[in-house]
Amino acid sequence: MLSWDIAGFMFFSTIETVSLYYLIMTLFRFKWRAYLWPAMFIILINNLQSYLLRNELDLANISPLITIMVFIFFFAAVVRMPFVFSVIATISGYVIFAVIQSALVLLMFGSLSQVENHTINGYILQTASAAVVFAVFWFAYRKGKGFTFDMEKLRFKLEDIVLTVLIIIFLIGISVLLVYKNLWIDIAFFIVMSAFLLYYSTKKEREDA
């Protein structure tokens, strides 16, 4: 039976991560609704591995890095951003989100320890961060604000091959690391995620042809 601890983590982390997705997509003037369902699939699996890293292995510091990598690969493979642009978009969006959340920590709780030592405060922070992001970037998007680039200038030759190789290297590297920690469920997570991204990339390529 799914414990309330896991359910709470998954629910509030999903709200938070969806708002990060929304921030990045609207910041760079992409149609966020068009990719919402594949994004939800990736976000849910990513949050599951995040829970395992934080609570089973005490490796919370690694979780944000993995989230960034997942978003980079998602935007490159599914949204079909040039790889360079997906890196720029993901890191820019993540930094903006981190600034917003850090400001809310100070305004609402006074210190980070108050969030780390009280689970309910963490849930409140995640919800408040999402609410602020959705409100601010919905308004900005409606007003036509945001960044646009000539993405073809950022696209380099053999991008799809490079993307595929990077995903494979990322999968192998993380899998080897997790083998030593005997976390087969996380290995399965990365296999499923990589297969999904590669499948969706091929599907989108055929549709665009």
Side-chain angles (χ1 to χ4, degrees), residues 8 17 19 28-29 39 51 56 64 68 88 92 96-97 112 114 116 123 151 154 160 166 173 186 197:
T17 314
S19 69
F28 293 95
R29 307 294 301 167
Y51 178 85
E56 301 298 328
I68 290 172
I88 295 172
S92 299
I96 293 172
F97 187 91
L112 186 59
Q114 290 298 313
E116 294 177 336
Y123 292 159
M151 292 197 298
L154 293 174
D160 291 331
L166 285 171
D186 264 30
L197 290 175

Side-chain angles (χ1 to χ4, degrees), residues 19 40 60 118:
S19 69
M40 285 295 296
H118 300 86

Side-chain angles (χ1 to χ4, degrees), residues 145-178:
K145 305 297 183 181
F147 301 99
T148 56
F149 297 93
D150 184 351
M151 292 197 298
E152 290 305 315
K153 291 183 178 179
L154 293 174
R155 190 183 298 277
F156 48 88
K157 294 181 179 180
L158 303 178
E159 177 195 351
D160 291 331
I161 296 176
V162 171
L163 173 62
T164 302
V165 171
L166 285 171
I167 290 177
I168 293 173
I169 292 174
F170 178 66
L171 172 63
I172 293 174
I174 296 297
S175 296
V176 170
L177 174 64
L178 296 178

